[in-house]
Amino acid sequence: MALTTRKTSGEPRTAPARGGGSTAPARSGVRAALSTARRSLVGLLVLLAALGGLLAWGVGTDRTGWGPKLALDLEGGTQMILSPSLQGEDTGQEVTPEQLDQAVEIIRQRVDGSGVAEAEIATQSGSTIVVSMPGVPSPETRELIQTSAQMNFRPVLTTAAAEPVPEEQRVPDDELPEPAAEPTDSSDPNWITPELYREFEATDCTAPQSPEERETQDAEAPVVACEPETGTKYLLGPVEIQGTGIRDASYGTAQNSQGVSLNQFAVNLQFGPEATERFRELSERLYGIGSATPGDPRNQFAILLDGQVVSAPQMNAVISDGQAQITGSFTEEQARFLAEQLKYGALPMSFEIQSEQQISATLGADQLRMGIVAGIIGLVLVCVYSLFQYRLLGLVTISSLVVAGVLTWLSISLLGWSANYRLSLAGVAGLIVAIGQTADSFIVYFERIRDEIRSGRSIPAAVDHGWRRARQTVLASKAVNLLAAAVLYFVAVGNVRGFAFTLGLTAIADLLVVFLFTHPVMVLLARTRYFGGGGKHSGLDPEALDAVPLYRGAGRLREPAPEHDGLTIAERRRRAAQGTPPDRPDGPAPQDAPVGASSSVRTTEENA
């Protein structure tokens, strides 16, 4: 009775192990592969459940909606016309086109620092700036747009409560501080004159100061300033560092000197070269004051934006590298807002909102509907092609596209809530392009599997070997996609950045789906009777793929035909370099092939 490799159901049969070898390692490898596949699917399910639960919580608390936020071209929003005016020494002068362009760029960073809110900022008539934003801007955003860039660092001389001191409690005239000598630095108490101290006592920080009052501050003289956030009144020395010396500002979780998280938010500052040296001198002086007299308010320095104190931290160390960290009882929103004020505070002018109006969508629902229809048509065509090319295996492609779509939808909706991401028509185009890129990953994988089946491997082995080869190709392809998206994102503005962001997001979603869904599903299907047995219309049928099995029955092995030896190009070149004929196996053929196994026998079987 002869052995045969043809089987209509069940696991594919293999040749018995030679030399009495055990099949335990093979079975252990199968169990490990199945276990890894199940864990990957469970991990994907947990990820989707976590994202869905987070979105459901946001919807339940009225923080966001189920769908993504739409951009200006699809939803409409608010248009503000800003009139600029120069501050400080340039007050009253005409704004130059260069200054206006600089203002446009900084406002764009203030309004849409991440580049995905789809705001539009442009000059108009060479004298005004038009800001168009999706939805209705928050009061914080309005304030951020109008805020002047006159940011300064001043040392603190003394502090008091925000309320004015009652007349009967004020310092008598004969006890008012008098300068004993010329001030030696900006922290010197000799800056405080009787007139300045009377002004300090009379100032009411509970009433908002007008912009005109704040603009009269002299950079080379001490001033009285207010911090509305904490209700504190400050008497400050001359300016030590200007806001233009800040190179970068960000926020995050504070850490101690050992790198351990302190479970609180902090604002990180990075100064430029010149400001780094000046800040080092300031930190040495203030830290020395705090060490000599603990509790002295002169251990603090105030950061003023448009004449108003936004923060007044203490100096707890000498900072010589220009990298400072502001800590305190910040919420995440407070830390983010302060970081934005510091980072984009160097605007050489302030703005007044001349007019504000609601505008309709520039494209509207019709274009969105047509974009969705185009995406559905592309998705249907990909599904039809997958079923035609891969038969029932195409269902894996369709399922993977559905999972990728759900993952992308959840990500975009959550990003609209957390990062103010707005989906524009360009972003919709990125999603449509992503359909083809996602399907391309599956095609690479499936064709690798088919190549392995054609070379005579069993279907489970073909899935394993095909994945090892396809994985590198998929990773290289997605790396190129991410690189292209990153380049577009960083060199472009407006809708192009939204397109690039969507393209990069879908590339990451594609990788997650391929690794956590498509490959694990293929591993499980390869161990079923229908797909593992190469069932008809499964897409893995060896006969339909014109595969020649390695073991041909009756102790005979496959003898490759002269026109197709079953070897890859690399294997042919390696054998040619070793002097081995490409039509001979690496091992001793006479021991593997039984006596009498001639080409005539093969021809008879093939004809049968």
Side-chain angles (χ1 to χ4, degrees):
M1 181 173 62
L3 296 176
T4 178
T5 58
R6 182 168 179 82
K7 183 174 174 63
T8 58
S9 64
E11 292 287 342
R13 296 178 183 173
T14 58
R18 298 183 182 182
S22 172
T23 60
R27 294 176 181 174
S28 177
V30 170
R31 286 195 297 269
L34 293 176
S35 177
T36 302
R38 295 189 183 100
R39 285 199 302 269
S40 298
L41 291 174
V42 170
L44 178 63
L45 184 61
V46 170
L47 175 62
L48 292 175
L51 295 177
L54 183 60
L55 182 61
W57 178 77
V59 174
T61 55
D62 293 329
R63 298 172 183 266
T64 185
W66 287 109
K69 292 183 178 180
L70 299 180
L72 190 67
D73 57 350
L74 300 178
E75 183 186 47
T78 304
Q79 184 182 78
M80 294 180 288
I81 298 179
L82 307 178
S83 175
S85 60
L86 294 175
Q87 302 292 311
E89 299 177 354
D90 298 329
T91 301
Q93 297 184 14
E94 186 177 353
V95 178
T96 65
E98 292 77 14
Q99 290 173 322
L100 205 62
D101 291 339
Q102 181 184 2
V104 167
E105 185 61 30
I106 295 179
I107 290 179
R108 178 179 290 113
Q109 293 295 331
R110 287 179 169 184
V111 174
D112 189 13
S114 62
V116 294
E118 301 290 348
E120 297 179 1
I121 300 97
T123 60
Q124 184 181 66
S125 303
S127 59
T128 57
I129 295 177
V130 179
V131 179
S132 301
M133 304 174 58
V136 179
S138 64
E140 292 80 6
T141 302
R142 297 175 189 271
E143 180 180 355
L144 198 61
I145 291 174
Q146 292 181 272
T147 299
S148 171
Q150 297 304 311
M151 176 176 287
N152 298 306
F153 288 65
R154 291 176 180 261
V156 175
L157 299 178
T158 187
T159 64
E163 297 80 9
V165 179
E167 291 284 348
E168 65 277 5
Q169 298 180 10
R170 295 184 181 180
V171 177
D173 292 343
D174 58 350
E175 297 181 9
L176 287 173
E178 287 280 354
E182 288 293 324
T184 58
D185 53 55
S186 58
S187 299
D188 195 332
N190 286 318
W191 285 106
I192 304 176
T193 62
E195 296 77 17
L196 181 62
Y197 197 81
R198 285 297 186 206
E199 179 187 349
F200 175 68
E201 289 181 316
T203 300
D204 183 8
C205 284
T206 59
Q209 293 179 299
S210 65
E212 291 75 14
E213 292 175 329
R214 300 198 301 267
E215 289 172 4
T216 58
Q217 295 178 351
D218 186 355
E220 298 180 358
V223 297
V224 177
C226 303
E227 185 179 9
E229 187 70 23
T230 61
T232 306
K233 180 167 52 179
Y234 294 91
L235 205 165
L236 306 173
V239 172
E240 281 272 0
I241 303 172
Q242 294 184 345
T244 52
I246 299 177
R247 173 176 293 177
D248 192 17
S250 62
Y251 77 99
T253 304
Q255 296 180 344
N256 60 18
S257 57
Q258 287 76 33
V260 179
S261 176
L262 301 179
N263 198 26
Q264 62 180 357
F265 288 97
V267 177
N268 303 307
L269 288 177
Q270 174 64 59
F271 292 95
E274 182 178 349
T276 295
E277 179 61 24
R278 302 200 65 175
F279 192 76
R280 181 190 63 79
E281 297 175 356
L282 177 65
S283 65
E284 287 179 349
R285 184 198 318 145
L286 300 188
Y287 181 68
I289 294 174
S291 300
T293 55
D296 192 331
R298 293 190 300 144
N299 175 238
Q300 297 175 257
F301 68 94
I303 304 173
L304 290 85
L305 183 60
D306 198 17
Q308 185 169 275
V309 178
V310 296
S311 182
Q314 294 180 344
M315 189 69 70
N316 297 325
V318 175
I319 301 173
S320 58
D321 59 357
Q323 297 182 2
Q325 185 178 79
I326 304 174
T327 58
S329 302
F330 293 125
T331 64
E332 182 177 5
E333 182 65 21
Q334 290 172 334
R336 180 193 63 79
F337 186 61
L338 177 58
E340 289 181 349
Q341 285 181 312
L342 297 174
K343 183 174 182 178
Y344 306 125
L347 188 63
M349 61 192 74
S350 61
F351 296 89
E352 178 184 354
I353 299 179
Q354 283 189 347
S355 64
E356 180 177 340
Q357 61 180 349
Q358 298 298 312
I359 56 176
S360 60
T362 56
L363 294 177
D366 291 340
Q367 282 74 11
L368 177 60
R369 189 179 304 109
M370 294 303 297
I372 294 176
V373 169
I376 293 175
I377 292 175
L379 182 61
V380 170
L381 291 176
V382 170
C383 294
V384 170
Y385 170 80
S386 298
L387 293 175
F388 174 78
Q389 178 70 15
Y390 298 108
R391 306 299 188 269
L392 293 181
L393 195 62
L395 295 176
V396 178
T397 299
I398 297 174
S399 302
S400 300
L401 287 173
V402 171
V403 174
V406 172
L407 184 60
T408 304
W409 178 272
L410 292 174
S411 301
I412 290 177
S413 299
L414 289 173
L415 286 170
W417 171 23
S418 61
N420 198 30
Y421 171 76
R422 297 275 180 166
L423 184 63
S424 64
L425 193 62
V428 174
L431 295 177
I432 296 174
V433 172
I435 295 175
Q437 293 183 346
T438 303
D440 180 63
S441 300
F442 310 144
I443 291 174
V444 170
Y445 183 25
F446 293 161
E447 289 300 326
R448 286 292 191 182
I449 294 175
R450 287 184 158 196
D451 288 342
E452 297 296 332
I453 294 175
R454 291 187 182 98
S455 68
R457 295 188 187 276
S458 65
I459 292 177
V463 169
D464 296 338
H465 285 78
W467 170 246
R468 283 196 291 268
R469 292 189 174 186
R471 179 174 55 196
Q472 302 301 324
T473 305
V474 171
L475 287 174
S477 172
K478 296 307 152 188
V480 172
N481 291 343
L482 288 173
L483 179 61
V487 171
L488 277 178
Y489 181 83
F490 286 109
V491 304
V493 295
N495 290 341
V496 179
R497 297 191 78 180
F499 172 81
F501 185 86
T502 306
L503 201 63
L505 179 66
T506 52
I508 296 174
D510 182 16
L511 282 176
L512 290 175
V513 171
V514 171
F515 278 80
L516 298 181
F517 182 80
T518 309
H519 173 58
V521 167
M522 287 301 303
V523 171
L524 297 177
L525 290 179
R527 270 72 183 181
T528 62
R529 289 187 176 183
Y530 180 72
F531 284 94
K536 191 175 182 181
H537 304 304
S538 66
L540 300 175
D541 184 5
E543 290 186 357
L545 297 176
D546 194 24
V548 181
L550 175 63
Y551 186 73
R552 307 207 51 187
R556 293 188 295 273
L557 301 178
R558 177 184 66 228
E559 295 183 19
E563 67 275 6
H564 179 69
D565 52 20
L567 301 178
T568 64
I569 296 176
E571 290 171 335
R572 292 193 188 99
R573 290 178 177 175
R574 184 172 62 251
R575 293 192 177 188
Q578 296 173 349
T580 305
D583 58 344
R584 290 183 57 190
D586 290 333
Q591 296 180 10
D592 292 337
V595 177
S598 63
S599 59
S600 61
V601 176
R602 185 182 69 249
T603 305
T604 303
E605 289 182 355
E606 291 173 351
N607 292 335

